[in-house]
Amino acid sequence: MKATLIDRLFAATYDRFIMSNLTPQTVLSIRHWTDTLFSFTCTRDPSFRFDNGQFTLVGLEVNNKPLVRAYSMASANYEENLEFLSIKVQDGPLTSRLQHLKIGDSVYISKKSTGTLVTHHLLPGSTLWLLSTGTGLAPFMSIIKDPEIYSHYERIVLTHTCRFIDELAYKEYITQSLPQNEHIGELIRDQLIYYPTVTREPFRNRGRITDLIQDGKLFEDTDLPPFSVERDRLMLCGSPHMLKDTRALLKAMGFNEGTHSQPGHYVVERAFVD
Ligand code: A2P
C-alpha cells in the first residue's frame, strides 16, 4: 500500500517534470506516404534551438499524462516550422494516436534537443556518407539542408534504403525541389549525391546498403572510391539490425566510432520509434 502511494507520487512528479519541459505546438500539415509512414509539420517555439541532425521529444497528452517519444527533426534549424517523419504502428502507444493528427491539433514538443549525428563528433574528412533505412532518413533531411555541412566536406552522399519504392519519403523533394532552392540549390547540385535503394521490389538500385558496400556496387554507382579511413566519414541512422551490421563492417575496415570527447570516423543514431 505504502509502495503504491510512493509509486504514484513519483509517477505524478515525473509526469509534471516531463510536462514542464514540453511546449504545445500546432499541427500545420500532414502527409501520409504509405499505410505505415507519415510526416507532419508543426509550429516551432521561438526559443527552441537545435543542431541539424539532432532529436527531441514529441508526443501527446493522453489521460492527462504526457506520452512522448524521441523524434529527429527532418526540418533544418533555420526553418520556421518543425517537421517529423514517423512510422504508424497500429497498436503502438504513441504512433497509433499520432497518425490521426489533423491540421490545428496540438502536439507537445520538448524544449530540449540532443543527439550524436553532429559533425564535431567526426574527424575531418572529404566525403560524408549519410546511411539511412526507413525513418532513419529524418535527421539527414535536416543535415542536407544545412549550408555549413557543404563547407566541411567536398561531397555528401545520402543513401536511403527501404523495403518498397513508396517508402522512399522525400524522394521528389530531394531530387526536384532542393536542387532548385534559391539558397542551397547550387550546393545540392554540386555536392550532394542521393542514392535510394529498395530491397523488396524491382528498382534501379536494389539491395541492402551493407551488401552494396561489400560487393562494391555503391561505389560503382556513385563513381566514388571504396571507403578509406583517411577520406571517408559516416553517419548511420536506421534499424538496429542495419546499424549492428554496418558497424561490424566499418570496424573490420579500421573505422572508429566518434563521441563528444573523442571524434572518430563515424557516428550512429538509431531510428527511434518502433
Ligand atoms: P530487407 O527488406 O532485406 O529486410 P525495416 O523496415 O525492417 O526497418 O527495414 C528497412 C530497410 O532496412 C529494409 O530495406 C531492410 O531490408 C533493410 N535492412 C534490414 N536489416 C538490415 C541489415 N541488417 N542490414 C542492412 N539493411 C537492413
Side-chain angles (χ1 to χ4, degrees), residues 133 161-163 199-200 208 210 239 241-242 245:
T133 63
T161 305
C162 293
R163 297 178 183 197
T199 48
R200 302 203 185 181
R208 291 182 168 195
T210 40
S239 74
H241 289 123
M242 174 279 220
D245 290 356

Side-chain angles (χ1 to χ4, degrees), residues 4-274:
T4 309
L5 183 63
I6 290 169
D7 283 351
R8 274 201 228 129
L9 275 172
F10 177 78
T13 309
Y14 178 78
D15 287 348
R16 270 201 303 278
F17 170 75
I18 296 284
M19 277 313 265
S20 69
N21 278 294
L22 301 173
T23 62
Q25 300 299 325
T26 306
V27 174
L28 299 171
S29 67
I30 302 122
R31 174 160 184 181
H32 293 275
W33 299 91
T34 69
D35 289 350
T36 56
L37 186 69
F38 75 109
S39 57
F40 66 93
T41 62
C42 66
T43 53
R44 172 179 176 177
D45 191 279
S47 65
F48 182 63
R49 297 271 175 271
F50 63 97
D51 290 334
N52 293 311
Q54 287 192 316
F55 65 87
T56 188
L57 295 176
V58 174
L60 299 168
E61 193 175 335
V62 177
N63 301 328
N64 296 319
K65 288 184 188 153
L67 178 61
V68 289
R69 296 284 184 269
Y71 276 88
S72 298
M73 273 65 75
S75 43
N77 58 7
Y78 54 81
E79 292 183 284
E80 188 183 350
N81 301 317
L82 296 174
E83 182 154 3
F84 300 98
L85 177 64
S86 179
I87 50 168
K88 307 176 194 177
V89 182
Q90 291 322 319
D91 55 358
L94 180 63
T95 67
S96 63
R97 297 176 164 95
L98 211 57
Q99 65 182 285
H100 300 298
L101 279 179
K102 292 188 185 55
I103 292 172
D105 284 354
S106 259
V107 63
Y108 284 93
I109 310 285
S110 172
K111 294 174 185 170
K112 300 195 166 62
S113 57
T114 187
T116 56
L117 301 178
V118 285
T119 45
H120 54 266
H121 289 192
L122 291 173
L123 293 163
S126 56
T127 303
L128 177 66
W129 298 81
L130 308 171
L131 309 186
S132 66
T133 63
T135 55
L137 175 71
F140 300 148
M141 288 308 297
S142 162
I143 289 173
I144 63 167
K145 287 187 271 186
D146 186 343
E148 221 184 288
I149 200 89
Y150 297 92
S151 60
H152 292 309
Y153 299 93
E154 283 169 29
R155 193 161 303 286
I156 317 280
V157 187
L158 168 61
T159 81
H160 187 205
T161 305
C162 293
R163 297 178 183 197
F164 303 105
I165 297 167
D166 280 356
E167 296 168 338
L168 293 171
Y170 302 107
K171 179 157 58 76
E172 279 72 31
Y173 177 73
I174 298 168
T175 55
Q176 287 161 35
S177 304
L178 270 186
Q180 304 309 323
N181 181 284
E182 62 173 317
H183 303 295
I184 55 164
E186 195 178 338
L187 297 171
I188 302 277
R189 290 196 300 274
D190 292 350
Q191 289 174 257
L192 179 72
I193 296 175
Y194 169 58
Y195 190 80
T197 88
V198 303
T199 48
R200 302 203 185 181
E201 66 179 332
F203 186 59
R204 62 176 190 278
N205 305 319
R206 182 96 197 254
R208 291 182 168 195
I209 199 67
T210 40
D211 294 335
L212 297 164
I213 293 169
Q214 280 172 297
D215 66 16
K217 186 92 175 40
L218 175 64
F219 308 107
E220 214 175 281
D221 288 346
T222 54
D223 211 12
L224 290 169
F227 291 157
S228 97
V229 171
E230 287 74 35
R231 183 187 47 238
D232 296 292
R233 301 293 169 258
L234 299 102
M235 293 186 178
L236 320 178
C237 189
S239 74
H241 289 123
M242 174 279 220
L243 297 181
K244 181 167 169 275
D245 290 356
T246 313
R247 261 183 165 136
L249 263 182
L250 292 174
K251 193 171 173 215
M253 293 180 203
F255 284 71
N256 296 323
E257 187 168 347
T259 62
H260 181 66
S261 53
Q262 183 140 28
H265 307 113
Y266 71 95
V267 286
V268 178
E269 200 103 84
R270 60 176 294 232
F272 300 99
V273 179
D274 46 23

